[in-house]
Amino acid sequence: MAIKKIGELLVEKGILEEEALQQCLTEQQKSGQKLGDILLGRKLITEDQLVEVMAQRLKMPKITLESLIIDPHVIKSLPVELARRYTLIPVFRIGKTLTVAMADPLNIIAIDELAYTTGCEIRRAIATERGIKNAIERYYSVQERLKSVIGDMPEKAIEKTATQNAANNEEQNEAPVVQLVQLIITKAVRDGASDIHVEPSSDTLRIRYRIHGRMREEAEPPKSLQAEITSRIKIASNLDVSEKRIPQDGRFSFEVDNVVIDLRISTLPTIHGEKVVIRILDPRKIRIGLSQLGLTEKFLENWQELIHSTEGLVLISGPTSSGKTTTLYASLQEINSIEKNIITVEDPVEYSLPLINQVQTNDRAGLTFASCLRSILRQNPDIIMIGEIRDDETATMAVRAALTGHLVFSTLHANDSAGSVTRLADIGVASFLVASSLKGALAQRLVRLNCPDCLENYKPPEAIITIAGFPVDTVFQRSSGCAKCEMTGYSGMSALYEFLPIDNTIREMIAKSESDAIIKAYARSMGMETLFEAGAKKLLAGEITLEELIQVTSPDRSEANHEHKRLPSDISINSLSQTHSTGI
């Protein structure tokens, strides 16, 4: 009866035709399958549409797990075997009430077993099977392996064993803590993480990965292992294990899948112990040329013309893990030759490049960006790359170097390309110097691409469509998750670019200290494509989701709408929808 009413609701909402419903009901009587499985198998509805109607019919909340961060303590309350067997995952716990997201909330056997195992009252919620399976892989993966490495030893026994093994080099490689650290690093590399964060709190130790620019909680080892995990990482990177009062930096190499990965270590004393961040430098990620960055032919032509200049300043802006280093290195490799003296100053040097002299800063030794730059200018360079402009001294020297016959590349913290122009003036560089030296500014972001093997149409919430400024009847696509994308729905990354070439009009604006909004408005009138517009092309080509576009191009959730309302007259939704290029 309940299933039939769900079918009727689908018809009432205009999602399903009455004739199609009757055909599926007939098939259900013959096969004994669930109506929902038949509808999904015939691709008459999407999983999201089915869940939406089920939530309405059963009067249960619908949960979108992709946008939810689940407390590791809640995850620990339920064994992974149960989660996998019944396709469910715990999401909230308040006192003795545990809220569980289920693909089949009518499974009474599952609910009874949950109540018996957890000792809680079970509150049901509905989520897509795809979302639940993704969440299980996300939250239980390392936690499962963690248990297999450490076993069921009590925390005191773990601590004692770890201490004994630390004193014996022969046994050290077999110690549970050593295996755990290797597991954490290996999983991070295979997942494509750029950083690993080992974060202590008052009573827990949290492991988080930064993947595609976003933090993701991976595991929560026993608090008693905090000192041993930290010590193991510090020993491997030749840091002083006994020194816990000051920050330290180190490095070591680690082999994963027959590839040697370079790891940069940074420790920071906190009130709950040392926090450790491991930057993962996978050499496979930097073997890329400009032609592989996904640039359009016109953009690539303009960028190559710019980087082959003999002098001037070129700026690249973007948040952490937005691909700035990849763009910089690809550009340097494009112009690198035996005839040019190229020197970089970086913090840290992430990848070794042939024929390029790379210097790593050391603030404690007095080797700062500014002091390095002074020395570099006495080394007769043709091209200089400054990892980041952080202060007025470095900014002024970079500008003066660009004015004295050097081509200077650098990065800067700014929201967009026009913002990086005015940012130099904010730091303290005279406007007329910026106007004279700057050749171009590039802003970029990374977006996660939909998996092409499991792409399907979907309807985002109308509130999000309104924020973005798209018509409500726009067709949006996302990936449901499959074996090829490991049920994540994503397949690789791509960059969005916003390039601001500096012409004479913009030079006059900079010299007059005009705002970045005025500069950006002029640049758009001259045909500059914004980050949002570049993303809109990928969105309407089915390459990214609407949520991805809004999150990446509008950190405050409002910029997307602001950008879209101001599309130039020659760029409309209709014209964008005709663009299906994979580049920018």
Side-chain angles (χ1 to χ4, degrees):
M1 191 69 174
I3 294 177
K4 183 179 179 182
K5 288 182 179 179
I6 287 175
E8 290 174 351
L9 281 172
L10 288 168
V11 174
E12 289 173 9
K13 287 178 171 290
I15 298 172
L16 186 66
E17 295 291 336
E18 178 66 36
E19 183 180 351
L21 172 61
Q22 294 305 322
Q23 291 175 356
C24 292
L25 287 173
T26 301
E27 181 180 338
Q28 182 194 19
Q29 291 175 352
K30 294 179 180 178
S31 66
Q33 280 184 285
K34 294 179 180 178
L35 178 60
D37 292 340
I38 296 172
L39 292 169
L40 292 173
R42 291 190 175 194
K43 296 185 178 180
L44 295 172
I45 62 171
T46 66
E47 191 176 1
D48 284 305
Q49 289 170 333
L50 177 61
V51 168
E52 189 75 41
V53 172
M54 286 180 65
Q56 180 181 341
R57 173 65 185 86
L58 300 174
K59 297 181 180 179
M60 290 182 187
K62 176 192 172 186
I63 292 181
T64 303
L65 292 168
E66 289 81 0
S67 59
L68 191 66
I69 298 176
I70 305 175
D71 189 328
H73 289 97
V74 176
I75 292 294
K76 283 183 176 180
S77 66
L78 194 68
V80 66
E81 295 81 11
L82 275 182
R84 292 191 191 280
R85 187 190 312 158
Y86 296 118
T87 314
L88 51 83
I89 191 166
V91 288
F92 304 113
R93 180 170 179 169
I94 301 175
K96 282 292 185 178
T97 301
L98 180 66
T99 300
V100 180
M102 306 177 68
D104 182 7
L106 297 177
N107 190 332
I108 303 301
I109 295 175
I111 295 167
D112 288 344
E113 191 167 350
L114 287 175
Y116 176 78
T117 302
T118 63
C120 294
E121 177 187 347
I122 304 302
R123 182 171 180 264
R124 296 169 292 169
I126 302 176
T128 63
E129 182 177 347
R130 175 193 69 246
I132 293 173
K133 287 181 177 179
N134 287 346
I136 289 173
E137 291 303 317
R138 174 180 173 185
Y139 288 102
Y140 280 107
S141 181
V142 167
Q143 203 67 39
E144 280 185 87
R145 295 283 300 278
L146 176 63
K147 185 176 180 180
S148 68
V149 168
I150 297 176
D152 297 321
M153 298 169 60
E155 289 197 3
K156 289 185 178 179
I158 294 171
E159 191 171 15
K160 181 179 179 182
T161 302
T163 304
Q164 290 173 345
N165 285 330
N168 189 328
N169 289 332
E170 292 183 0
E171 296 180 11
Q172 193 175 8
N173 290 333
E174 303 301 324
V177 171
V178 176
Q179 295 178 51
L180 176 58
V181 171
Q182 292 173 347
L183 163 65
I184 290 169
I185 296 173
T186 300
K187 179 70 163 54
V189 172
R190 288 174 177 169
D191 284 1
S194 61
D195 303 270
I196 303 170
H197 291 245
V198 182
E199 303 171 324
S201 62
S202 58
D203 56 357
T204 60
L205 182 65
R206 181 179 295 109
I207 306 295
R208 294 201 292 170
Y209 294 166
R210 185 180 291 278
I211 299 177
H212 300 157
R214 297 170 195 174
M215 298 293 282
R216 185 183 85 187
E217 187 157 356
E218 191 64 33
E220 194 177 278
K223 176 70 173 178
S224 59
L225 287 179
Q226 176 180 323
E228 191 60 31
I229 289 174
T230 303
S231 296
R232 176 59 192 165
I233 296 171
K234 291 171 74 173
I235 289 170
S237 48
N238 293 317
L239 299 181
D240 186 349
V241 178
S242 63
E243 180 56 77
K244 302 177 181 179
R245 300 165 300 173
I246 61 174
Q248 297 187 68
D249 296 309
R251 61 186 293 178
F252 70 95
S253 297
F254 186 79
E255 187 173 311
V256 178
D257 300 331
N258 297 319
V259 176
V260 176
I261 307 297
D262 197 14
L263 304 171
R264 304 300 169 90
I265 314 302
S266 173
T267 68
L268 180 70
T270 73
I271 59 173
H272 299 301
E274 288 182 286
K275 179 183 189 299
V276 180
V277 175
I278 304 174
R279 169 61 63 88
I280 300 172
L281 304 175
D282 190 336
R284 292 170 293 188
K285 293 183 178 180
I286 203 63
R287 296 169 187 167
I288 187 171
L290 282 178
S291 60
Q292 298 169 278
L293 292 179
L295 308 174
T296 61
E297 185 176 344
K298 181 180 179 181
F299 185 99
L300 180 60
E301 182 181 331
N302 292 338
W303 184 251
Q304 285 181 324
E305 181 181 351
L306 176 65
I307 65 177
H308 280 91
S309 302
T310 56
E311 48 79 28
L313 176 63
V314 178
L315 292 176
I316 300 179
S317 66
T320 301
S321 300
S322 62
K324 299 189 299 295
T325 299
T326 300
T327 302
L328 275 173
Y329 280 11
S331 299
L332 289 177
Q333 290 182 97
E334 176 76 15
I335 59 180
N336 189 16
S337 74
I338 196 69
E339 300 172 350
K340 294 177 181 176
N341 179 19
I342 303 177
I343 305 179
T344 74
V345 50
E346 306 169 60
D347 181 24
V349 174
E350 297 197 5
Y351 300 96
S352 178
L353 300 176
L355 290 179
I356 294 178
N357 307 282
Q358 296 171 271
V359 181
Q360 180 164 314
T361 62
N362 186 336
D363 290 348
R364 283 183 293 174
L367 193 62
T368 63
F369 279 111
S371 62
C372 279
L373 193 49
R374 277 193 293 271
S375 299
I376 285 173
L377 290 174
R378 294 193 289 270
Q379 291 284 318
N380 189 30
D382 297 299
I383 299 166
I384 301 170
M385 192 272 273
I386 305 169
E388 183 183 347
I389 292 178
R390 297 177 178 173
D391 52 52
D392 60 343
E393 185 180 8
T394 305
T396 300
M397 293 188 68
V399 167
R400 292 193 181 278
L403 289 171
T404 53
H406 305 92
L407 180 60
V408 181
F409 294 89
S410 191
T411 68
L412 197 64
H413 285 293
N415 290 330
D416 53 25
S417 55
S420 62
V421 174
T422 56
R423 175 72 180 131
L424 283 177
D426 293 338
I427 290 176
V429 182
S431 296
F432 72 91
L433 291 177
V434 178
S436 301
S437 62
L438 193 61
K439 291 286 187 180
L442 179 73
Q444 67 179 74
R445 301 287 190 276
L446 286 182
V447 290
R448 297 174 294 179
L449 295 175
N450 292 330
C451 172
D453 293 291
C454 52
L455 203 61
E456 64 180 22
N457 293 344
Y458 82 109
K459 185 75 171 180
E462 287 194 14
I464 297 179
I465 300 176
T466 302
I467 288 174
F470 287 96
V472 293
D473 59 348
T474 303
V475 177
F476 299 98
Q477 291 184 296
R478 72 175 176 190
S479 299
S480 58
C482 63
K484 288 192 176 181
C485 63
E486 298 181 349
M487 296 304 295
T488 64
Y490 298 106
S491 178
M493 302 280 288
S494 184
L496 306 179
Y497 296 100
E498 177 184 295
F499 177 52
L500 176 69
I502 308 300
D503 61 15
N504 290 332
T505 302
I506 293 180
R507 291 189 195 285
E508 292 178 9
M509 290 180 176
I510 296 172
K512 294 177 180 178
S513 300
E514 297 282 11
S515 69
D516 55 347
I518 293 176
I519 294 174
K520 185 172 185 176
Y522 166 76
R524 295 189 68 192
S525 70
M526 298 301 293
M528 184 187 78
E529 184 176 74
T530 67
L531 289 167
F532 183 81
E533 290 162 0
K537 287 183 176 180
K538 289 186 177 293
L539 171 73
L540 296 170
E543 296 178 35
I544 64 174
T545 63
L546 178 59
E547 292 84 352
E548 184 80 2
L549 172 63
I550 292 177
Q551 185 163 359
V552 170
T553 61
S554 100
D556 62 358
R557 301 285 182 178
S558 63
E559 182 181 313
N561 184 48
H562 177 65
E563 292 293 326
H564 189 62
K565 297 293 186 184
R566 295 168 54 204
L567 286 172
S569 57
D570 60 334
I571 300 179
S572 64
I573 289 296
N574 292 332
S575 65
L576 284 173
S577 63
Q578 300 303 315
T579 305
H580 295 276
S581 63
T582 56
I584 304 298

